[in-house]
Amino acid sequence: MITDTWWVDKIIDQLQQFVQSFDLFGLKEYWLYLDRRLFCRLEDVYKSTVNKLRTSLYRYYVINTIQKGNLEKTQEFFQKQALELQSQAEWRDWFILPFIPAPEQNPAFSPYFSRQWADTFLVSLHNFLSVLFQFPPQPVLLSFDAEVQKMTILTEENEQLRQQLFALQTESRDQRDGDEMVHHKLPAYPAKSKDAAQSKDVKPLSNQLSTSEPASSQQPTNQSRIQDHEKERKELFSKPPQTPERKVESLEVEPPSELPSEPPESSAAAEGGGLSAEQPFIKLSQEEYGEHHSSIMHCRVDCSGRRVASLDVDGVIKVWSFNPIMQTKATIMSKSPLLSLEWATKPDRLLLLGSGVGTVRLYDTDAKKNLYEMNIDETHPRILSLACSPSGSSFVCSAAALSRSGNVSGQLLLWDTKTVKQQLQFSLEPEPVAINCTAFNHNGNLLVTGAADGMIRLFDMQRYESAMSWRAHDGEVYSVEFSYDENTVFSIGEDGKFIQWNIHRCGVKQSDQILPQDATGPFVLSGYSGYKQVQVPRGRLFAFDSEGQHVLTCSSSGGLIYRLTNGEPALDRVLSLGGHKAPVVTVDWCSAVDCGTCLTASMDGKIKLSTLLAQKS
């Protein structure tokens, strides 16, 4: 029977064989193999231990070359590893080692020539590998039970909040006609009437409730109780006080059932989002971020849901938070035009910025400084799209030529975020073309892209090759995303279609729906004296909720939420977020259990942040 100790002994013996035979290439390749198969699966807290063991292994190799009198191999090591090691502080003093007459007598290096240091290193490596083999890290997929419990607890807490809100609203209606029935659903708040606004007994609060009855029919005691309940409701949802930067709109829902009924679609499309019996979301509030002074190109929430990065056409980037208060964290000004933006996944404080001059910058939003600037390709200077792998170890970069006539030449490249070097260039068949949009699946094994030639290409990121490709749209593909179950992909193209594709059957549609022109672009902002501004889609044009049942799209006056309908000729419109005076050009949806935050950014530089509460079906 082969035990874990047997495997560890074999690994140690193989590493020592490479060291004793002065095989630097074999030693590096074998360690990289261990990193890919074992170390990369560890939690981040163990990464520093792995790096220390690798450093000690290299030092063990160098010391062995000196002890065996093979100075040529010593110099070869530093020549081949110079680019990798010269920036590391622990190796800075070691470059003088080949030029010291008796390094074993030097106080800085003498400990490494002792037998005790070599034995300690080998024992430490043996123990680390033994523990790793005996207690391998649990795959993320197997941690579903803990996630299910966490989701259950959060769902129960949310249900309690909804019940408290329900109780407050039913109590405020106790003095109404006894024949009025209270249904077991989250009650609706009608919009404030003019009579109620003019009532001398009711003070004008920003989020004050009103009823569908005239103000004259309400007793002062009832009005004061409603005000008290409203204060409790605001405390219940922990809404922060209003600041000059944020403009909070009141909770808006459909009038109660005693008013004339409307068709479900029209009620759902009411400004502020009407609430019907089948309404899946309530819009709790809408806030505005107004620090930009030109049209927005990109607006993305980071993977933790704590920060937003927004980019406008002037090249100004704002990094801001919205919980508990809306606050600008960093402002980035760029001399060169910026075309793309993406959050890194690990660590999530890093931001990737693609320019129009062939460079990609890695920006630290906490330290507020550039970490690296990568030169991609001078012949393809426009960085149209960036996508970071879920592991955070690499990112995909789409670079295109300057020409805008016909099919523009382009490249799709994979870069390593640790070494800041290009790993490979993907093959784009039938010809190199500009890739407009890119997206990874949840584990980074698949990459889907949409191109200027109307093709969608699906790449196998384990083999780094194209798995399939098909003609998706007449004209360019503007935006593409994986579905919730990742068995399909959705795309929006220049032809105005919103299409769902089966990734297991190449080019097979599962649904094909037409969207309004203001949802797909090009986006047009008209002004006085015939002024007209036209913007080609750049950012994400649609985003899904946490369960993949609903999709948020752009429109001329705000975001629109549709219910996804499998195979139906038209999408089922359920909620209009509204709030914009200019066309919305990009959206994002940050979801957390039943509450979600929708971002809609428009051509006048305004970004609306709408907080939604999901209804239980």
Side-chain angles (χ1 to χ4, degrees):
M1 179 179 177
I2 297 178
T3 63
D4 296 336
T5 306
W6 185 87
W7 286 111
V8 174
D9 292 337
K10 283 295 182 181
I11 293 174
I12 298 295
D13 290 342
Q14 184 63 59
L15 290 173
Q16 285 190 300
Q17 182 179 344
F18 287 131
V19 171
Q20 299 301 326
S21 61
F22 309 110
D23 187 357
L24 178 60
F25 178 81
L27 183 67
K28 291 172 56 180
E29 287 297 311
Y30 194 70
W31 187 264
L32 287 174
Y33 171 80
L34 294 176
D35 187 67
R36 288 195 302 268
R37 297 302 300 270
L38 297 175
F39 304 147
C40 68
R41 304 174 189 273
L42 297 174
E43 297 179 6
D44 291 340
V45 294
Y46 299 106
K47 295 298 176 65
S48 60
T49 303
V50 174
N51 291 335
K52 289 178 181 178
L53 289 173
R54 182 185 61 180
T55 299
S56 297
L57 178 63
Y58 284 171
R59 288 177 175 175
Y60 182 66
Y61 173 88
V62 172
I63 296 300
N64 181 69
T65 61
I66 295 177
Q67 289 178 332
K68 297 294 178 61
N70 198 335
L71 188 60
E72 181 181 349
K73 289 294 182 179
T74 308
Q75 295 175 347
E76 178 194 47
F77 173 86
F78 287 104
Q79 289 173 357
K80 291 186 176 181
Q81 298 297 110
L83 291 177
E84 180 182 349
L85 302 181
Q86 64 185 358
S87 61
Q88 300 180 19
E90 59 267 28
W91 283 98
R92 198 162 296 160
D93 297 331
W94 282 70
F95 282 88
I96 64 171
L97 190 62
F99 308 101
I100 299 178
E104 63 274 8
Q105 300 177 4
N106 189 290
F109 301 108
S110 58
Y112 299 98
F113 286 84
S114 65
R115 182 66 184 176
Q116 180 182 1
W117 181 88
D119 291 341
T120 302
F121 161 65
L122 292 175
V123 170
S124 299
L125 181 59
H126 190 281
N127 291 342
F128 182 81
L129 293 173
S130 298
V131 173
L132 186 58
F133 275 92
Q134 188 173 0
F135 304 102
Q138 185 183 34
V140 177
L141 188 61
L142 296 182
S143 63
F144 70 93
D145 187 50
E147 291 296 323
V148 169
Q149 293 179 6
K150 180 180 178 182
M151 293 283 285
T152 303
I153 293 173
L154 292 174
T155 303
E156 291 174 354
E157 291 179 356
N158 186 71
E159 182 64 27
Q160 292 176 2
L161 292 175
R162 294 178 68 255
Q163 293 298 331
Q164 292 179 40
L165 181 61
F166 174 75
L168 291 174
Q169 298 311 314
T170 53
E171 185 180 353
S172 69
R173 290 170 172 78
D174 286 343
Q175 297 185 7
R176 290 192 178 183
D177 192 344
D179 295 334
E180 183 178 355
M181 297 185 64
V182 180
H183 299 281
H184 293 284
K185 65 177 182 178
L186 204 60
Y189 297 104
K192 186 189 297 183
S193 64
K194 293 183 179 179
D195 293 336
Q198 295 174 357
S199 175
K200 297 180 181 180
D201 297 316
V202 182
K203 297 181 181 180
L205 300 176
S206 60
N207 287 337
Q208 184 171 339
L209 294 172
S210 63
T211 66
S212 59
E213 300 176 7
S216 59
S217 66
Q218 297 292 317
Q219 298 298 324
T221 56
N222 191 31
Q223 293 170 353
S224 61
R225 289 178 64 190
I226 294 176
Q227 294 178 24
D228 294 337
H229 294 159
E230 171 57 16
K231 292 178 182 178
E232 294 178 17
R233 184 184 69 84
K234 290 192 291 183
E235 293 175 358
L236 181 65
F237 289 99
S238 302
K239 300 304 293 181
Q242 186 170 340
T243 64
E245 265 190 312
R246 58 198 302 182
K247 303 175 183 177
V248 183
E249 298 178 5
S250 62
L251 178 67
E252 302 170 3
V253 289
E254 188 180 330
S257 57
E258 63 263 29
L259 295 182
S261 60
E262 295 179 356
E265 182 174 348
S266 62
S267 64
E271 182 64 30
L275 175 62
S276 66
E278 298 180 357
Q279 177 70 2
F281 301 102
I282 301 174
K283 188 175 76 171
L284 297 176
S285 66
Q286 189 174 79
E287 308 157 38
E288 180 181 290
Y289 183 79
E291 292 296 307
H292 288 279
H293 304 290
S294 59
S295 179
I296 307 297
M297 294 172 60
H298 294 273
C299 185
R300 297 297 302 272
V301 187
D302 69 358
C303 54
S304 68
R306 296 182 293 117
R307 284 168 293 195
V308 179
S310 48
L311 165 65
D312 61 33
V313 295
D314 291 337
V316 177
I317 298 171
K318 298 285 185 178
V319 178
W320 47 283
S321 62
F322 54 85
N323 190 12
I325 62 172
M326 193 173 285
Q327 183 179 14
T328 301
K329 298 293 187 180
T331 300
I332 309 168
M333 309 290 289
S334 176
K335 296 180 180 179
S336 56
L338 295 176
L339 302 179
S340 52
L341 172 151
E342 176 71 337
W343 283 102
T345 50
K346 295 179 182 178
D348 60 6
R349 71 176 188 276
L350 302 182
L351 198 59
L352 290 167
L353 306 174
S355 74
V357 293
T359 61
V360 172
R361 279 191 284 166
L362 191 62
Y363 183 85
D364 190 325
T365 58
D366 286 349
K368 299 181 182 180
K369 65 178 182 179
N370 291 321
L371 299 182
Y372 301 103
E373 184 165 3
M374 295 151 271
N375 294 313
I376 305 300
D377 188 356
E378 294 181 355
T379 60
H380 297 84
R382 293 191 299 133
I383 311 301
L384 299 182
S385 179
L386 294 165
C388 191
S389 66
S391 66
S393 60
S394 60
F395 69 90
V396 166
C397 167
S398 165
L402 288 173
S403 174
R404 295 181 179 273
S405 58
N407 284 342
V408 179
S409 173
Q411 294 180 341
L412 186 63
L413 310 171
L414 182 68
W415 279 69
D416 191 304
T417 53
K418 296 179 181 179
T419 62
V420 199
K421 293 181 180 180
Q422 180 181 321
Q423 288 183 276
L424 60 92
Q425 178 178 342
F426 292 94
S427 174
L428 300 176
E429 299 295 340
E431 59 181 354
V433 67
I435 301 295
N436 292 331
C437 47
T438 52
F440 280 98
N441 71 333
H442 80 284
N443 59 11
N445 288 339
L446 295 176
L447 172 74
V448 64
T449 67
D453 59 359
M455 299 280 289
I456 288 180
R457 296 169 173 85
L458 190 69
F459 291 91
D460 183 342
M461 295 303 292
Q462 293 179 316
R463 298 182 178 181
Y464 300 114
E465 61 183 24
S466 175
M468 63 179 68
S469 61
W470 63 91
R471 176 75 59 181
H473 292 273
D474 294 330
E476 299 190 30
V477 181
Y478 286 149
S479 195
V480 64
E481 298 287 343
F482 280 95
S483 64
Y484 177 75
D485 61 8
E486 298 186 349
N487 288 318
T488 63
V489 294
F490 287 85
S491 64
I492 286 181
E494 190 177 2
D495 54 8
K497 293 183 178 181
F498 180 63
I499 305 177
Q500 182 181 13
W501 304 92
N502 190 325
I503 65 172
H504 303 293
R505 301 171 63 190
C506 183
V508 174
K509 298 180 184 178
Q510 288 200 189
S511 63
D512 186 347
Q513 286 125 351
I514 300 292
L515 290 176
Q517 184 177 356
D518 58 4
T520 61
F523 304 103
V524 179
L525 179 63
S526 301
Y528 298 104
S529 303
Y531 168 79
K532 183 180 292 186
Q533 180 183 349
V534 180
Q535 182 171 325
V536 177
R538 294 286 189 193
R540 176 182 289 188
L541 296 184
F542 64 94
F544 298 112
D545 69 340
S546 60
E547 297 181 352
Q549 301 293 325
H550 299 85
V551 62
L552 171 66
T553 67
C554 304
S555 79
S556 59
S557 59
L560 289 178
I561 296 178
Y562 296 91
R563 181 182 290 107
L564 293 176
T565 54
N566 191 14
E568 296 294 328
L571 291 170
D572 182 12
R573 177 173 166 179
V574 297
L575 184 63
S576 172
L577 300 179
H580 284 276
K581 297 179 181 179
V584 171
V585 295
T586 184
V587 299
D588 203 0
W589 195 334
C590 175
S591 299
V593 194
D594 287 330
C595 286
T597 301
C598 293
L599 288 171
T600 53
S602 61
M603 293 184 70
D604 59 1
K606 306 299 182 184
I607 301 173
K608 296 287 185 177
L609 189 144
S610 303
T611 302
L612 305 181
L613 178 66
Q615 283 277 67
K616 294 290 184 180
S617 58

